[in-house]
Amino acid sequence: MAGQGVTVGSMAASKPIVCPSCGFQSNPFGSVRCASCGAKIEELGRAKRSREEELAGRYQQEGVSIQWLLIAFLVQGVLTAALVFGLPMVLPVLDFEGQNGMVVCIPVWFLGALLVGMISPGRTFVEPAVASLLVAIPTTFLLIESQTVRTMPLFLYLIFAGIGILLALIGAYIGERIQLGPPPKPVD
């Protein structure tokens, strides 16, 4: 009898887990996050949230991932360096110093955050914004120091950097929404 209980228990334990957020049905037993959307899968012993609560929390960030912060920093840093500093070396006609460099950085940070939001599992839209902040600090300083003719005061550089960081947050959120797809229809 005891052997049968273990067999039945292990068979029940090996059943795939259904994600409460997206409904993905092939998560292996013991998964902490959904293999499809990256949402946290609650343990079976915890109190379950209602379907409405699950849908309301579908697009909310659950924590900060250091791994995706580093990936976002790498993506934002490479894109910024390639476009602002590398492209003028290849095409000398393009000169992204000072104000022009800040104008180019804003869409670069937005697109980099959008890309990271689309490829990162789970809801990680704060990480690209923090990465953009970490990239914006030295980039802004270098653009201020590299300009040959001062065309813009210092506070406008800070405003441009702030706009770029805000747009990076928006881009990462849009990327997450694209990745997760439309919200599921409520069950009647």
Side-chain angles (χ1 to χ4, degrees):
M1 291 285 183
Q4 290 177 351
V6 171
T7 306
V8 172
S10 63
M11 287 173 63
S14 64
K15 287 169 111 178
I17 299 174
V18 177
C19 176
S21 181
C22 72
F24 184 68
Q25 298 178 355
S26 299
N27 290 306
F29 180 76
S31 298
V32 177
R33 293 198 171 266
C34 175
S36 176
C37 71
K40 283 187 178 178
I41 298 175
E42 295 182 0
E43 293 178 17
L44 299 175
R46 292 186 189 171
K48 297 213 174 209
R49 294 188 280 183
S50 69
R51 177 91 172 138
E52 292 78 25
E53 290 173 338
E54 288 293 332
L55 291 175
R58 178 175 165 91
Y59 299 112
Q60 294 178 356
Q61 175 118 4
E62 295 174 342
V64 176
S65 169
I66 300 298
Q67 176 187 7
W68 280 100
L69 176 64
L70 294 174
I71 292 170
F73 178 72
L74 183 68
V75 167
Q76 295 288 43
V78 167
L79 287 176
T80 302
L83 210 61
V84 174
F85 303 113
L87 193 59
M89 290 180 184
V90 176
L91 298 171
V93 174
L94 299 174
D95 186 18
F96 295 132
E97 68 177 29
Q99 176 182 355
N100 296 335
M102 289 305 293
V103 170
V104 169
C105 283
I106 292 172
V108 167
W109 294 335
F110 174 81
L111 292 174
L114 180 74
L115 176 68
V116 171
M118 288 174 61
I119 64 173
S120 65
R123 295 173 288 249
T124 54
F125 51 85
V126 171
E127 288 84 346
V130 173
S132 296
L133 170 69
L134 296 175
V135 169
I137 293 169
T139 302
T140 304
F141 177 74
L142 287 171
L143 290 172
I144 290 171
E145 293 300 317
S146 70
Q147 64 184 349
T148 53
V149 177
R150 188 166 301 274
T151 59
M152 198 166 70
L154 174 66
F155 77 92
L156 283 179
Y157 281 98
L158 299 176
I159 290 173
F160 272 115
I163 291 169
I165 294 164
L166 178 64
L167 286 177
L169 180 64
I170 293 169
Y173 185 75
I174 290 171
E176 289 294 331
R177 294 291 297 253
I178 291 170
Q179 177 196 60
L180 291 175
K185 303 222 185 291
V187 178
D188 293 327

